[in-house]
Amino acid sequence: MNNLRKEFPILTNNTYLNTASSGLLYDSLLDFRQNHDLDFLIGGSTFRNQQSDFLNRVRETIAVFLGSTQDNVVLTPNFSIGLNTILNGLGKNKKVLLLHDDYPSINFAIENKGFDVCYTNVDATTEHNIETALKKHSPDIFAFSIVQYSNGIAIDLNFIKELKSKYPDLLLIADATQFCGTRVFNFTDSGIDILGCSGYKWLLGGYGNGFMLFKNGVLDQITPSNYKKIAFETNYEPSYTNLRARFECGHLDTFNFGSLQHSLNFLTTIGLSTIENYINELSTYAKQELSKKDLLEHSVTKREQHSTIFNIEGNQKLFNYLTEKNIITSLRGRGIRISLHFYNSIDDIDRLLKLL
Protein backbone atom coordinates (compact mmCIF):
# COMPACT_ATOMS: atom_id res chain seq x y z
CA MET A 1 0.00 0.00 0.00
CA ASN A 2 2.89 2.35 0.67
CA ASN A 3 3.98 1.99 -2.96
CA LEU A 4 0.48 2.90 -4.13
CA ARG A 5 0.67 6.18 -2.22
CA LYS A 6 3.07 7.40 -4.93
CA GLU A 7 0.09 7.51 -7.32
CA PHE A 8 -1.44 10.34 -5.24
CA PRO A 9 0.64 13.54 -5.33
CA ILE A 10 -1.45 15.32 -2.67
CA LEU A 11 -0.11 12.86 -0.08
CA THR A 12 3.41 14.21 -0.45
CA ASN A 13 2.68 17.23 1.71
CA ASN A 14 -0.71 16.44 3.27
CA THR A 15 -2.38 13.90 5.52
CA TYR A 16 -5.60 13.26 3.62
CA LEU A 17 -8.38 12.01 5.90
CA ASN A 18 -11.29 13.16 3.77
CA THR A 19 -12.33 10.47 1.27
CA ALA A 20 -15.88 10.67 2.65
CA SER A 21 -15.95 14.14 1.07
CA SER A 22 -14.00 13.33 -2.09
CA GLY A 23 -11.76 10.56 -3.31
CA LEU A 24 -8.42 11.53 -4.84
CA LEU A 25 -7.28 11.98 -8.41
CA TYR A 26 -4.20 9.87 -9.14
CA ASP A 27 -1.51 9.72 -11.79
CA SER A 28 -2.77 6.90 -14.00
CA LEU A 29 -6.31 8.31 -14.00
CA LEU A 30 -4.92 11.67 -15.08
CA ASP A 31 -3.13 9.88 -17.93
CA PHE A 32 -6.40 8.27 -19.03
CA ARG A 33 -8.23 11.59 -18.94
CA GLN A 34 -5.57 13.39 -20.95
CA ASN A 35 -5.53 10.65 -23.59
CA HIS A 36 -9.33 10.66 -23.72
CA ASP A 37 -9.48 14.38 -24.47
CA LEU A 38 -6.60 14.14 -26.92
CA ASP A 39 -8.61 11.56 -28.88
CA PHE A 40 -11.59 13.94 -28.80
CA LEU A 41 -9.39 16.82 -29.92
CA ILE A 42 -8.13 14.86 -32.91
CA GLY A 43 -11.32 12.98 -33.79
CA GLY A 44 -14.14 15.45 -33.18
CA SER A 45 -17.56 13.83 -33.51
CA THR A 46 -16.07 10.60 -34.87
CA PHE A 47 -14.64 10.05 -31.39
CA ARG A 48 -18.19 9.27 -30.19
CA ASN A 49 -19.00 6.75 -32.92
CA GLN A 50 -18.43 3.81 -30.60
CA GLN A 51 -19.96 5.37 -27.48
CA SER A 52 -22.78 2.82 -27.21
CA ASP A 53 -20.35 -0.11 -27.13
CA PHE A 54 -18.10 1.78 -24.74
CA LEU A 55 -20.92 2.51 -22.28
CA ASN A 56 -21.99 -1.14 -22.41
CA ARG A 57 -18.45 -2.07 -21.37
CA VAL A 58 -18.69 0.40 -18.48
CA ARG A 59 -21.94 -1.24 -17.35
CA GLU A 60 -20.28 -4.65 -17.58
CA THR A 61 -17.33 -3.44 -15.48
CA ILE A 62 -19.70 -2.12 -12.79
CA ALA A 63 -21.70 -5.36 -12.85
CA VAL A 64 -18.62 -7.55 -12.39
CA PHE A 65 -17.22 -5.28 -9.68
CA LEU A 66 -20.41 -5.41 -7.59
CA GLY A 67 -21.89 -8.80 -8.40
CA SER A 68 -24.73 -7.75 -10.67
CA THR A 69 -25.57 -8.15 -14.37
CA GLN A 70 -25.08 -5.64 -17.17
CA ASP A 71 -28.80 -5.55 -17.96
CA ASN A 72 -29.54 -4.38 -14.40
CA VAL A 73 -27.04 -1.50 -14.39
CA VAL A 74 -28.21 2.04 -15.13
CA LEU A 75 -25.69 4.87 -15.57
CA THR A 76 -26.51 8.22 -13.99
CA PRO A 77 -24.44 11.37 -13.31
CA ASN A 78 -24.86 10.83 -9.56
CA PHE A 79 -26.92 9.01 -6.96
CA SER A 80 -29.25 11.95 -6.31
CA ILE A 81 -30.47 12.17 -9.91
CA GLY A 82 -31.03 8.42 -9.97
CA LEU A 83 -33.01 8.44 -6.72
CA ASN A 84 -35.15 11.39 -7.74
CA THR A 85 -35.97 9.68 -11.04
CA ILE A 86 -37.17 6.65 -9.10
CA LEU A 87 -39.22 8.75 -6.69
CA ASN A 88 -40.86 10.73 -9.50
CA GLY A 89 -42.32 7.50 -10.83
CA LEU A 90 -43.69 6.14 -7.54
CA GLY A 91 -47.22 6.69 -6.26
CA LYS A 92 -47.39 9.23 -3.43
CA ASN A 93 -49.54 6.83 -1.43
CA LYS A 94 -46.39 4.89 -0.54
CA LYS A 95 -45.17 4.95 3.06
CA VAL A 96 -41.39 5.31 3.38
CA LEU A 97 -39.19 4.51 6.38
CA LEU A 98 -36.12 6.75 6.76
CA LEU A 99 -33.27 7.02 9.25
CA HIS A 100 -33.12 10.20 11.31
CA ASP A 101 -30.23 12.43 10.16
CA ASP A 102 -29.47 10.30 7.11
CA TYR A 103 -27.94 12.00 4.07
CA PRO A 104 -30.13 14.87 2.81
CA SER A 105 -29.94 13.49 -0.73
CA ILE A 106 -32.13 10.69 0.59
CA ASN A 107 -34.25 12.23 3.31
CA PHE A 108 -34.99 15.62 1.76
CA ALA A 109 -35.60 14.09 -1.66
CA ILE A 110 -38.30 11.87 -0.17
CA GLU A 111 -39.71 14.39 2.32
CA ASN A 112 -40.34 17.08 -0.28
CA LYS A 113 -42.33 14.82 -2.63
CA GLY A 114 -45.32 14.24 -0.40
CA PHE A 115 -44.77 10.64 0.64
CA ASP A 116 -46.05 9.35 3.97
CA VAL A 117 -42.79 9.28 5.93
CA CYS A 118 -41.83 7.58 9.20
CA TYR A 119 -38.45 7.49 10.94
CA THR A 120 -36.20 5.48 13.21
CA ASN A 121 -32.95 6.32 15.02
CA VAL A 122 -29.34 5.55 14.17
CA ASP A 123 -27.45 4.54 17.31
CA ALA A 124 -25.82 1.51 18.93
CA THR A 125 -28.97 -0.56 18.29
CA THR A 126 -29.75 0.66 14.77
CA GLU A 127 -30.79 -2.73 13.39
CA HIS A 128 -33.16 -3.34 16.30
CA ASN A 129 -34.60 0.16 15.80
CA ILE A 130 -35.26 -0.57 12.12
CA GLU A 131 -37.08 -3.82 12.81
CA THR A 132 -39.18 -2.19 15.53
CA ALA A 133 -40.14 0.62 13.13
CA LEU A 134 -41.10 -1.86 10.41
CA LYS A 135 -43.44 -3.67 12.77
CA LYS A 136 -44.95 -0.40 14.03
CA HIS A 137 -45.38 1.49 10.73
CA SER A 138 -45.57 -1.22 8.03
CA PRO A 139 -43.89 0.93 5.34
CA ASP A 140 -43.80 0.06 1.65
CA ILE A 141 -40.22 1.32 1.20
CA PHE A 142 -37.12 1.53 3.37
CA ALA A 143 -34.56 4.00 1.98
CA PHE A 144 -31.20 4.29 3.74
CA SER A 145 -27.48 4.84 3.49
CA ILE A 146 -25.46 1.69 4.13
CA VAL A 147 -22.87 3.89 5.88
CA GLN A 148 -23.98 7.05 7.66
CA TYR A 149 -22.10 10.02 6.21
CA SER A 150 -21.73 11.96 9.47
CA ASN A 151 -20.48 9.35 11.95
CA GLY A 152 -19.74 6.22 9.89
CA ILE A 153 -22.24 3.86 11.53
CA ALA A 154 -22.67 1.00 9.06
CA ILE A 155 -25.83 -1.08 8.83
CA ASP A 156 -25.18 -4.81 9.09
CA LEU A 157 -25.70 -6.21 5.59
CA ASN A 158 -26.52 -9.65 6.95
CA PHE A 159 -29.37 -7.97 8.80
CA ILE A 160 -30.55 -6.38 5.56
CA LYS A 161 -30.54 -9.75 3.85
CA GLU A 162 -32.57 -11.27 6.68
CA LEU A 163 -34.93 -8.29 6.56
CA LYS A 164 -35.71 -8.97 2.91
CA SER A 165 -36.54 -12.57 3.76
CA LYS A 166 -38.95 -11.47 6.48
CA TYR A 167 -40.49 -8.65 4.42
CA PRO A 168 -40.29 -9.74 0.78
CA ASP A 169 -42.68 -6.99 -0.39
CA LEU A 170 -40.66 -4.21 1.26
CA LEU A 171 -38.73 -2.22 -1.38
CA LEU A 172 -35.17 -1.68 -0.11
CA ILE A 173 -33.36 1.31 -1.62
CA ALA A 174 -29.75 1.78 -0.49
CA ASP A 175 -27.29 4.61 -1.00
CA ALA A 176 -23.85 2.99 -1.20
CA THR A 177 -21.80 6.11 -1.97
CA GLN A 178 -19.92 5.85 1.34
CA PHE A 179 -19.64 2.06 1.00
CA CYS A 180 -18.75 0.88 -2.51
CA GLY A 181 -15.00 0.46 -2.81
CA THR A 182 -14.42 -0.37 0.86
CA ARG A 183 -15.23 -4.10 0.87
CA VAL A 184 -16.16 -7.06 -1.28
CA PHE A 185 -19.87 -6.95 -2.08
CA ASN A 186 -22.29 -9.03 -4.13
CA PHE A 187 -25.44 -7.13 -5.01
CA THR A 188 -27.34 -10.14 -6.31
CA ASP A 189 -27.09 -11.88 -2.93
CA SER A 190 -27.56 -8.76 -0.78
CA GLY A 191 -31.33 -8.55 -0.36
CA ILE A 192 -31.23 -4.93 -1.53
CA ASP A 193 -33.64 -4.15 -4.39
CA ILE A 194 -32.06 -0.91 -5.64
CA LEU A 195 -28.53 0.22 -4.89
CA GLY A 196 -27.23 3.61 -5.98
CA CYS A 197 -23.78 5.14 -5.81
CA SER A 198 -21.89 8.25 -6.88
CA GLY A 199 -18.40 7.37 -8.07
CA TYR A 200 -16.36 10.26 -6.71
CA LYS A 201 -15.59 8.97 -3.22
CA TRP A 202 -14.21 5.52 -2.39
CA LEU A 203 -14.38 4.41 -6.03
CA LEU A 204 -12.01 7.27 -7.03
CA GLY A 205 -13.93 7.86 -10.25
CA GLY A 206 -14.03 11.65 -10.09
CA TYR A 207 -17.18 13.72 -10.44
CA GLY A 208 -20.12 13.36 -12.82
CA ASN A 209 -20.58 9.60 -12.72
CA GLY A 210 -22.70 7.17 -10.76
CA PHE A 211 -24.97 4.18 -11.22
CA MET A 212 -28.09 2.42 -10.00
CA LEU A 213 -28.29 -1.37 -9.68
CA PHE A 214 -31.68 -3.11 -9.83
CA LYS A 215 -32.66 -6.63 -8.88
CA ASN A 216 -34.30 -8.62 -11.67
CA GLY A 217 -37.74 -7.20 -12.43
CA VAL A 218 -37.46 -4.19 -10.12
CA LEU A 219 -36.70 -1.65 -12.85
CA ASP A 220 -39.90 -2.68 -14.60
CA GLN A 221 -41.76 -2.57 -11.28
CA ILE A 222 -40.81 1.05 -10.53
CA THR A 223 -41.40 2.34 -14.08
CA PRO A 224 -44.72 4.25 -14.43
CA SER A 225 -47.32 2.37 -16.47
CA ASN A 226 -47.93 5.40 -18.69
CA TYR A 227 -44.25 5.51 -19.61
CA LYS A 228 -44.34 1.87 -20.70
CA LYS A 229 -47.60 2.41 -22.59
CA ILE A 230 -46.32 5.38 -24.62
CA ALA A 231 -42.97 3.67 -25.22
CA PHE A 232 -44.78 0.65 -26.66
CA GLU A 233 -46.88 2.81 -28.99
CA THR A 234 -44.05 4.88 -30.49
CA ASN A 235 -41.53 4.07 -33.21
CA TYR A 236 -38.60 5.88 -31.59
CA GLU A 237 -35.19 4.24 -31.38
CA PRO A 238 -35.14 2.06 -28.20
CA SER A 239 -32.44 4.13 -26.47
CA TYR A 240 -35.10 6.85 -26.12
CA THR A 241 -37.89 4.61 -24.85
CA ASN A 242 -36.46 1.62 -22.95
CA LEU A 243 -36.62 1.34 -19.17
CA ARG A 244 -33.10 2.74 -18.80
CA ALA A 245 -33.93 5.83 -20.82
CA ARG A 246 -35.77 7.47 -17.92
CA PHE A 247 -32.40 7.61 -16.16
CA GLU A 248 -30.04 7.84 -19.13
CA CYS A 249 -31.87 10.54 -21.09
CA GLY A 250 -29.58 12.84 -23.04
CA HIS A 251 -25.89 12.20 -23.55
CA LEU A 252 -23.64 10.28 -21.18
CA ASP A 253 -20.12 11.62 -20.85
CA THR A 254 -17.46 9.10 -21.85
CA PHE A 255 -14.87 11.19 -19.98
CA ASN A 256 -16.69 10.78 -16.66
CA PHE A 257 -17.83 7.19 -17.10
CA GLY A 258 -14.48 6.24 -18.58
CA SER A 259 -12.87 7.64 -15.44
CA LEU A 260 -15.14 5.47 -13.31
CA GLN A 261 -14.33 2.37 -15.36
CA HIS A 262 -10.61 3.11 -15.14
CA SER A 263 -10.79 3.37 -11.36
CA LEU A 264 -12.85 0.20 -10.96
CA ASN A 265 -10.15 -1.62 -12.93
CA PHE A 266 -7.50 0.06 -10.77
CA LEU A 267 -9.21 -1.12 -7.56
CA THR A 268 -9.68 -4.60 -9.03
CA THR A 269 -5.97 -4.80 -9.82
CA ILE A 270 -5.13 -3.97 -6.21
CA GLY A 271 -7.76 -6.48 -5.07
CA LEU A 272 -10.91 -5.47 -3.26
CA SER A 273 -10.38 -8.10 -0.57
CA THR A 274 -6.88 -6.70 -0.03
CA ILE A 275 -8.30 -3.20 0.28
CA GLU A 276 -11.03 -4.41 2.66
CA ASN A 277 -8.57 -6.18 4.96
CA TYR A 278 -6.18 -3.24 5.00
CA ILE A 279 -8.70 -0.52 5.74
CA ASN A 280 -10.37 -2.73 8.36
CA GLU A 281 -7.03 -2.74 10.17
CA LEU A 282 -6.87 1.06 9.91
CA SER A 283 -10.46 1.41 11.11
CA THR A 284 -9.93 -0.92 14.09
CA TYR A 285 -6.79 0.94 15.12
CA ALA A 286 -8.40 4.37 14.73
CA LYS A 287 -11.49 3.35 16.71
CA GLN A 288 -9.35 1.90 19.48
CA GLU A 289 -7.09 4.93 19.83
CA LEU A 290 -9.82 7.57 19.46
CA SER A 291 -11.92 5.72 22.04
CA LYS A 292 -9.02 5.89 24.51
CA LYS A 293 -9.17 9.68 24.18
CA ASP A 294 -12.98 9.60 24.58
CA LEU A 295 -13.42 11.40 21.26
CA LEU A 296 -16.10 9.15 19.73
CA GLU A 297 -19.82 9.10 20.45
CA HIS A 298 -21.02 6.12 22.50
CA SER A 299 -23.29 4.89 19.70
CA VAL A 300 -20.10 4.19 17.73
CA THR A 301 -17.95 2.73 20.50
CA LYS A 302 -20.70 0.29 21.54
CA ARG A 303 -20.97 -1.30 18.08
CA GLU A 304 -18.75 -4.23 17.16
CA GLN A 305 -18.35 -3.41 13.47
CA HIS A 306 -17.68 0.04 12.05
CA SER A 307 -16.86 1.67 8.73
CA THR A 308 -13.86 3.80 7.84
CA ILE A 309 -15.60 7.07 8.81
CA PHE A 310 -15.35 8.64 12.27
CA ASN A 311 -16.66 11.84 13.78
CA ILE A 312 -14.46 13.09 16.59
CA GLU A 313 -15.28 15.69 19.18
CA GLY A 314 -14.06 19.08 17.97
CA ASN A 315 -15.01 22.55 16.80
CA GLN A 316 -14.03 25.13 14.20
CA LYS A 317 -10.91 26.03 16.16
CA LEU A 318 -9.63 22.46 16.12
CA PHE A 319 -10.58 22.06 12.47
CA ASN A 320 -8.57 25.19 11.59
CA TYR A 321 -5.63 23.93 13.63
CA LEU A 322 -5.59 20.60 11.81
CA THR A 323 -5.88 22.38 8.47
CA GLU A 324 -2.84 24.53 9.35
CA LYS A 325 -0.96 21.31 10.01
CA ASN A 326 -1.95 19.98 6.55
CA ILE A 327 -4.41 17.42 7.88
CA ILE A 328 -7.44 17.50 5.60
CA THR A 329 -10.78 16.66 7.27
CA SER A 330 -14.39 17.92 7.21
CA LEU A 331 -16.64 19.65 9.72
CA ARG A 332 -19.78 17.53 9.92
CA GLY A 333 -22.58 17.49 12.44
CA ARG A 334 -21.29 18.03 15.97
CA GLY A 335 -17.64 17.39 15.23
CA ILE A 336 -14.82 16.76 12.79
CA ARG A 337 -15.17 13.88 10.36
CA ILE A 338 -12.18 11.78 9.34
CA SER A 339 -12.27 8.98 6.79
CA LEU A 340 -9.70 6.39 5.77
CA HIS A 341 -8.93 4.66 2.47
CA PHE A 342 -6.18 2.33 1.25
CA TYR A 343 -3.83 5.28 0.59
CA ASN A 344 -3.87 6.09 4.30
CA SER A 345 -1.61 4.50 6.90
CA ILE A 346 -1.18 3.94 10.63
CA ASP A 347 1.30 6.83 10.51
CA ASP A 348 -1.49 9.13 9.28
CA ILE A 349 -3.64 8.16 12.25
CA ASP A 350 -0.73 8.56 14.67
CA ARG A 351 -0.02 12.03 13.30
CA LEU A 352 -3.63 13.03 13.92
CA LEU A 353 -3.56 11.52 17.42
CA LYS A 354 -0.36 13.39 18.27
CA LEU A 355 -1.86 16.72 17.25
CA LEU A 356 -5.08 15.99 19.12
Side-chain angles (χ1 to χ4, degrees):
M1 291 301 179
N2 283 334
N3 289 333
L4 288 171
R5 286 171 63 92
K6 298 173 184 177
E7 280 271 345
F8 303 89
I10 190 175
L11 301 181
T12 303
N13 297 310
N14 296 275
T15 301
Y16 192 80
L17 305 177
N18 207 26
T19 300
S21 179
S22 176
L24 295 176
L25 181 63
Y26 53 100
D27 286 339
S28 66
L29 179 56
L30 180 62
D31 291 341
F32 163 80
R33 289 175 169 224
Q34 289 175 329
N35 289 331
H36 174 283
D37 278 359
L38 181 60
D39 289 341
F40 185 23
L41 179 71
I42 295 171
S45 64
T46 62
F47 169 69
R48 298 272 297 184
N49 286 349
Q50 304 302 317
Q51 64 162 327
S52 179
D53 291 339
F54 173 78
L55 293 172
N56 277 332
R57 291 195 296 273
V58 174
R59 293 187 190 96
E60 180 62 25
T61 300
I62 294 169
V64 171
F65 189 83
L66 292 169
S68 183
T69 61
Q70 179 182 326
D71 290 341
N72 289 327
V73 177
V74 167
L75 303 178
T76 179
N78 54 59
F79 166 79
S80 298
I81 290 176
L83 177 63
N84 276 277
T85 302
I86 292 169
L87 298 175
N88 289 337
L90 296 178
K92 298 304 182 286
N93 60 331
K94 301 291 186 183
K95 181 182 284 190
V96 186
L97 175 63
L98 300 175
L99 301 175
H100 275 299
D101 300 320
D102 204 344
Y103 200 49
S105 288
I106 297 175
N107 283 16
F108 181 67
I110 291 170
E111 290 162 346
N112 75 57
K113 288 182 172 58
F115 291 101
D116 183 6
V117 179
C118 52
Y119 300 87
T120 192
N121 293 324
V122 176
D123 55 30
T125 60
T126 296
E127 290 78 11
H128 173 75
N129 299 343
I130 293 168
E131 188 140 29
T132 300
L134 290 174
K135 292 176 181 177
K136 178 180 179 181
H137 299 290
S138 299
D140 304 292
I141 301 167
F142 175 35
F144 61 97
S145 295
I146 295 176
V147 175
Q148 294 298 295
Y149 80 106
S150 60
N151 61 11
I153 286 180
I155 296 177
D156 184 346
L157 290 178
N158 289 325
F159 165 77
I160 293 296
K161 191 172 182 177
E162 293 169 4
L163 207 62
K164 187 63 180 178
S165 296
K166 291 181 182 178
Y167 303 93
D169 295 329
L170 178 68
L171 186 67
L172 296 176
I173 303 176
D175 177 5
T177 302
Q178 301 286 20
F179 170 78
C180 289
T182 65
R183 58 179 282 189
V184 177
F185 176 73
N186 187 292
F187 174 69
T188 301
D189 296 334
S190 69
I192 297 169
D193 295 299
I194 303 173
L195 181 140
C197 180
S198 295
Y200 68 98
K201 297 190 179 185
W202 312 93
L203 295 179
L204 309 182
Y207 293 90
N209 60 71
F211 51 85
M212 308 295 290
L213 307 182
F214 296 86
K215 283 287 176 62
N216 287 332
V218 171
L219 183 54
D220 181 76
Q221 176 187 331
I222 59 97
T223 301
S225 57
N226 191 59
Y227 179 95
K228 289 184 281 189
K229 176 180 180 294
I230 299 301
F232 178 77
E233 293 172 351
T234 65
N235 294 319
Y236 294 123
E237 202 271 329
S239 65
Y240 291 95
T241 60
N242 62 29
L243 299 184
R244 277 186 183 146
R246 271 208 315 139
F247 298 83
E248 298 183 350
C249 52
H251 75 272
L252 294 173
D253 192 340
T254 54
F255 178 92
N256 293 332
F257 286 103
S259 295
L260 175 61
Q261 183 186 45
H262 182 91
S263 285
L264 294 182
N265 289 332
F266 177 59
L267 296 175
T268 299
T269 299
I270 298 169
L272 204 52
S273 60
T274 300
I275 292 171
E276 177 180 349
N277 291 335
Y278 179 74
I279 63 178
N280 279 347
E281 291 176 8
L282 294 181
S283 177
T284 299
Y285 180 75
K287 183 180 178 184
Q288 172 186 302
E289 297 302 315
L290 292 169
S291 296
K292 287 179 183 178
K293 295 182 179 292
D294 198 26
L295 290 171
L296 299 176
E297 56 189 89
H298 294 307
S299 59
V300 170
T301 59
K302 291 179 180 178
R303 291 178 65 85
E304 287 188 20
Q305 301 296 324
H306 192 69
S307 71
T308 56
I309 299 173
F310 298 90
N311 197 308
I312 63 177
E313 185 178 329
N315 54 21
Q316 183 74 52
K317 182 178 179 181
L318 177 59
F319 174 77
N320 292 342
Y321 172 71
L322 294 176
T323 302
E324 290 168 3
K325 299 296 183 179
N326 296 324
I327 294 186
I328 302 174
T329 62
S330 292
L331 278 171
R332 287 293 184 276
R334 294 182 293 274
I336 295 168
R337 185 183 67 185
I338 66 169
S339 44
L340 306 164
H341 208 352
F342 68 84
Y343 41 65
N344 291 118
S345 65
I346 295 293
D347 288 343
D348 291 340
I349 299 169
D350 285 341
R351 183 159 185 258
L352 171 69
L353 292 167
K354 182 178 180 181
L355 291 173
L356 291 175

